Amino acid sequence: MTLASTQTAPAPRRAGGVRALWAGNPQAVVQRGLIAARSSSWVVVLSGFFEPVFYLASMGIGLGALVGDVQTSAGVAVSYAAFIAPALLAVSAMNGAIYDSTWNVFFKLNYGKLYEGMLATSLGPLDVALGEILYALLRGLVYATGFLTIMQILGLNLAPTAILAIPAVLLIAFGFASLGMAITSYMKTFQHMDWINFVLLPMFLFSSTLYPITVYPEVVQWIVKAFPLWHGVELIRGFTTGAMSPDVGWHILYYVVMIVVGLVFTTRRLRTLFLD
């Protein structure tokens, strides 16, 4: 027996186009996440739900008594609480999706070596990416349903179309999660994660969440309209107030593009890291 024959052969590179990327089993990743969640702290999970509720109580109800009515981009005057409530729902979807697709993914990718183990099975990188994102969407669905219930109790859902805010929240979370996971796959240290908060904070403050976009000069308005969160805020606000603009289709298309771009880059990055 020669020395070459005793050496461990390298893992074969996957080939075969789509089959190399997709095994059709993202639910296995979701199931693993649900099992792991049983041992996690429910206080941490619930904090994501109460954050927008506290904002709504302090600013929407408290400050809203001083502000009065606010005009939406569609030209409809609503109470301040009804104005910021859908925006807070969009922010909650963004924050939850980003947390799951950045910090959690970063640890699993660089320290837990979880994806390396997953991709050693029949799962492909697209299975892993979709599975992680779908797991994040489950938590987003719980948050959205609970917050919409509170809005309904407080009389802040002004139209029957408010029920459409739930799929809108899932679309927003899907967009941020897929793009967040793609960006995280390129990060090497925890210090790189600070850039995420550096980007999220301006989006939260300026994306027509707490006041109308018309308060800005026209040049600044165009910059704000490039933010993904602004599209989510306008989409959900249109559904909850019933004042939907013709731009609804563009808002949806914006997130569809985010999802496609995020999935493509995440899939390619995972394959490059662990399979090629």
Side-chain angles (χ1 to χ4, degrees):
M1 182 178 294
T2 63
L3 178 61
S5 62
T6 60
Q7 294 179 343
T8 303
R13 176 174 176 174
R14 294 192 183 190
V18 175
R19 289 187 177 182
L21 306 176
W22 170 253
N25 193 24
Q27 60 268 23
V29 182
V30 177
Q31 185 178 9
R32 183 263 166 202
L34 293 174
I35 294 174
R38 295 178 183 175
S39 59
S40 63
S41 174
W42 285 102
V43 176
V44 176
V45 177
L46 290 176
S47 65
F49 167 75
F50 284 108
E51 181 181 359
V53 175
F54 291 152
Y55 268 110
L56 179 61
S58 62
M59 302 193 68
I61 300 177
L63 185 61
L66 302 175
V67 174
D69 290 345
V70 179
Q71 196 171 55
T72 67
S73 59
V76 177
V78 298
S79 68
Y80 186 65
F83 180 82
I84 71 167
L88 293 175
L89 184 56
V91 172
S92 178
M94 177 188 73
N95 289 339
I98 288 294
Y99 177 82
D100 279 330
S101 64
T102 55
W103 289 99
N104 286 345
V105 168
F106 182 83
F107 178 82
K108 295 174 183 178
L109 186 65
N110 295 286
Y111 294 93
K113 305 298 181 182
L114 182 64
Y115 299 142
E116 190 172 356
M118 288 182 176
L119 293 173
T121 67
S122 62
L123 295 177
L126 186 55
D127 294 284
V128 175
L130 275 177
E132 287 289 357
I133 293 170
L134 290 175
Y135 174 71
L137 294 185
L138 286 177
R139 189 159 77 170
L141 177 61
V142 174
Y143 290 168
T145 304
F147 192 71
L148 273 177
T149 302
I150 292 177
M151 289 176 60
Q152 185 67 31
I153 294 173
L154 296 176
L156 301 179
N157 291 328
L158 307 180
T161 54
I163 191 65
L164 297 176
I166 293 181
V169 165
L170 296 180
L171 181 68
I172 294 169
F174 203 157
F176 277 105
S178 58
L179 194 59
M181 191 172 181
I183 295 173
T184 303
S185 65
Y186 288 91
M187 295 182 177
K188 299 298 182 182
T189 66
F190 277 113
Q191 285 72 23
H192 292 160
M193 305 298 288
D194 293 336
W195 287 97
I196 295 174
N197 291 330
F198 181 77
V199 173
L200 293 185
L201 184 58
M203 279 204 294
F204 167 65
L205 294 176
F206 296 106
S207 295
S208 187
T209 50
L210 304 177
Y211 37 80
I213 193 174
T214 53
V215 302
Y216 301 122
E218 187 173 354
V219 175
V220 178
Q221 290 184 32
W222 283 106
I223 297 175
V224 171
K225 289 179 179 180
F227 292 164
L229 181 59
W230 178 81
H231 291 272
V233 169
E234 289 297 307
L235 182 62
I236 296 181
R237 186 174 285 149
F239 288 144
T240 58
T241 61
M244 291 180 289
S245 69
D247 295 331
V248 169
W250 290 111
H251 300 324
I252 295 175
L253 180 61
Y254 188 102
Y255 280 100
V256 171
V257 172
M258 278 184 67
I259 293 169
V260 172
V261 171
L263 286 177
V264 168
F265 274 88
T266 301
T267 301
R268 289 183 175 179
R269 183 60 175 165
L270 292 178
R271 180 171 184 174
T272 300
L273 290 174
F274 302 118
L275 298 179
D276 290 350

